[in-house]
């Protein structure tokens, strides 16, 4: 005979929290349609060379992409910094500083 567990019962709360944690950890599924065969084949080959499944490889690409700010945002922040400070550095100075670090 099984007993029913009702909301408010500590066992129900534990079961509910466990299921909620599992669902939260599962993440979101994303489908991409109309990917050309040659693109899929190239990505699958890259994944294989990296020792990963296609899903693991694409998931890593999505995470890496989301971790970097878009180029437009970086440019907008740089322009806002120049506008706020009035400081402007010429490209030659930036490149010289970069090259000095490489020596």
């Amino acid at each position: 005979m099984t007993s029913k567990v009702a909301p408010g019962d500590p066992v129900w709360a534990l079961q509910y929290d466990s299921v909620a944690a599992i669902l939260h950890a599962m993440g979101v599924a994303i489908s991409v349609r109309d990917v050309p065969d040659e693109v899929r084949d190239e990505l699958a080959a890259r994944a294989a060379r990296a020792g990963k499944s296609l899903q693991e490889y694409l998931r890593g690409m999505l995470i890496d992409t989301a971790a970097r700010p878009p180029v437009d945002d970086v440019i907008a922040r740089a322009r806002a910094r120049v506008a706020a400070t009035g400081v402007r550095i010429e490209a030659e100075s930036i490149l010289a500083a970069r090259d000095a670090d490489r020596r």
Side-chain angles (χ1 to χ4, degrees):
M1 177 178 201
T2 60
S3 61
K4 295 214 175 202
V5 179
D9 184 324
V11 173
W12 181 87
L14 181 62
Q15 288 175 343
Y16 178 82
D17 289 345
S18 297
V19 170
I22 290 168
L23 291 176
H24 179 71
M26 290 174 72
V28 175
I30 298 174
S31 296
V32 179
R33 298 170 194 229
D34 301 322
V35 176
D37 289 340
E38 58 274 7
V39 171
R40 185 253 176 235
D41 293 345
E42 176 60 28
L43 291 170
R46 290 180 188 186
R49 285 193 299 270
K52 298 178 181 179
S53 69
L54 181 57
Q55 178 179 331
E56 289 173 312
Y57 185 77
L58 293 174
R59 181 177 177 274
M61 287 179 64
L62 290 171
I63 290 168
D64 291 346
T65 299
R68 290 189 306 269
V71 172
D72 291 343
D73 290 356
V74 173
I75 292 170
R77 284 198 317 258
R79 287 185 174 144
R81 196 167 31 251
V82 168
T85 63
V87 175
R88 185 164 177 80
I89 302 173
E90 296 301 320
E92 294 81 21
S93 297
I94 295 170
L95 294 174
R98 179 202 62 189
D99 294 341
D101 286 343
R102 292 183 177 177
R103 290 182 209 160

